[in-house]
Amino acid sequence: MKKIVFTLLAVMLFFVIRAQDNQIQIFYASLDNPEANPVKEFAFKNYEGQIGWGHDIEVIPDYTFQTIEGIGGAFNEIGGEALLSLDKKQQDELMNNLFNAEKAGFTFCRTAIGASDFGIDAYSYSEVAEDYEMKNFSVDRDKKYVLPYLQAAFAINPQLKLFASPWSPPAWMKVSNSMTGPDAQNNKMRADKNIYKAYATYFVKYVQAYAENGVKVSRICIQNETDADTNYPSCVMEPDELLNIGLNYMKPAFKKAKLQTEIYAGTFRVAKNFVMPKYLLLNDADKLDGIGVQYTAPCYIQEAQLKFPEYKIMHTEGNCFGGKNAVKEAESRLKEISDNINANCTNFCYWNMILNETTKSGWDWNQNSLINIDRTHKTIQYNPDYNVMYLVSKFVKPGDVRVGSMASGRPIISVKDEKGAIKIIIQNTSEQEEAYMLKLNGKKTKFLAPARAIMAIVVNNTNNTMK
């Protein structure tokens, strides 16, 4: 009997030791070597020496903030056309890398209602003028490239959350009778209640048509970049007009059609001389479901949260840069993500997930992407931004709750999952391994971190891990 008890105690001690060994895990993705599956585990190494300035990490799990809705990027027509140029095996491999839960596992993504600047050219779903009842409404064009791209993602992750926004209403609904600008006086909607009612019907039919094609649209932002007057599809829309459309036309139309799709104000941005979106001053804004922001300084997002504390604020588009897809640009990506998440956004949405070999829009300007596909040679190029987004999405999941954290001079994201595990995303730009000190629940541990990498520190048992 004593021998059995001793054996059981030995086995239990073995598993306790093993559990303690595995309580802190470090995963990383190199900033220099983009690859299809970039996340690797870095062997945990205790460190006994001195810790340099700026290498302290403190996490306060009892300080909780917003619940995370997800991480992802944007679908577009040019990306869909590039994806479908590959053979089926290549398509499946690429899409699994983006959406399979065992890989990047993107969970919260964006698409355009009609043409974005990364559509092949300008189009809408209502091309017949004065079709107020939308008798000629059709998403047939999207069936060629956009819907197959989306359907492939939903086949891998049926729980994918998708939001959508138009870059422009149909041309005939605008003063200019054109989806594109610039036309400072006329690149706006016709101020007519019949136009607004028709536009609400347009949104209803869009959500319904996509559902019929196996794609659930969970959320709509009423207008992309409400201040934009550009040579690609755009529409200037003042906040009072946006709210009028959302509150007095879209909401009743969605209710009548029994749609559960949420309606968000935005997308708003702070750029050039557009200092403060007027939505902060609008008392009726809280009757919509939330606000979408992009290219907005964290201080303005935080002000919006203070103004509307019960209001969800979502991030809608990441920095697009200029098509170089450089490591230096990827080095700044975690700061951008952390700025938005730590300002209380419920998500982060990268812009183009896939572009072709030219990196160009339908209006001949270049942007970054996670992946480039050479349509002639049938090759796939994973870019440095991909490594960053892959790691962040792999460890920051819907349902996680942001918790308080600090890291001197370094971007950091810290979340807690429903099982209590703490996940800390941080970056080491040094050319060599560096030592860090993690402070958690009044306890400390020192460890080495991989060189030139973005990393996820996972603490599985926050009560007993630290020395």
Side-chain angles (χ1 to χ4, degrees), residues 45 85 104 129 171 178-179 221 231 274 295 365 433 436 442 452:
K45 304 173 186 176
S85 73
S178 173
M179 290 185 67
C221 287
N231 68 339
F274 190 63
Y295 309 111
W365 59 305
E433 292 181 3
Y436 287 78
R452 289 195 55 74

Side-chain angles (χ1 to χ4, degrees), residues 57-174:
I57 303 168
E58 184 167 5
V59 178
I60 311 169
D62 290 338
Y63 286 7
T64 58
F65 299 93
Q66 79 274 29
T67 299
I68 301 298
E69 292 191 287
I71 305 293
F75 298 87
N76 56 56
E77 189 179 38
I78 285 176
E81 190 267 345
L83 177 69
L84 268 66
S85 73
L86 301 173
D87 65 43
K88 186 64 166 57
K89 182 178 179 181
Q90 288 176 300
Q91 291 178 38
D92 290 347
E93 180 181 350
L94 186 157
M95 294 299 284
N96 267 285
N97 288 336
L98 289 174
F99 293 98
N100 190 303
E102 299 301 315
K103 299 190 177 180
F106 281 179
T107 51
F108 193 108
C109 290
R110 181 182 194 180
T111 191
I113 300 176
S116 73
D117 48 326
F118 277 78
I120 293 171
D121 53 35
Y123 72 95
S124 76
Y125 309 124
S126 177
E127 299 288 347
V128 177
E130 313 306 317
D131 184 10
Y132 292 95
E133 296 181 5
M134 294 292 136
K135 292 180 178 179
N136 298 288
F137 180 95
S138 174
V139 297
D140 282 353
R141 171 158 170 166
D142 284 359
K143 292 178 180 179
K144 188 172 184 180
Y145 298 128
V146 178
L147 279 165
Y149 187 8
L150 285 159
Q151 289 161 346
F154 274 89
I156 298 165
N157 179 10
Q159 303 307 311
L160 178 67
K161 193 159 189 173
L162 182 70
F163 72 96
S165 56
W167 267 240
S168 172
W172 62 270
M173 294 186 182
K174 297 171 69 178

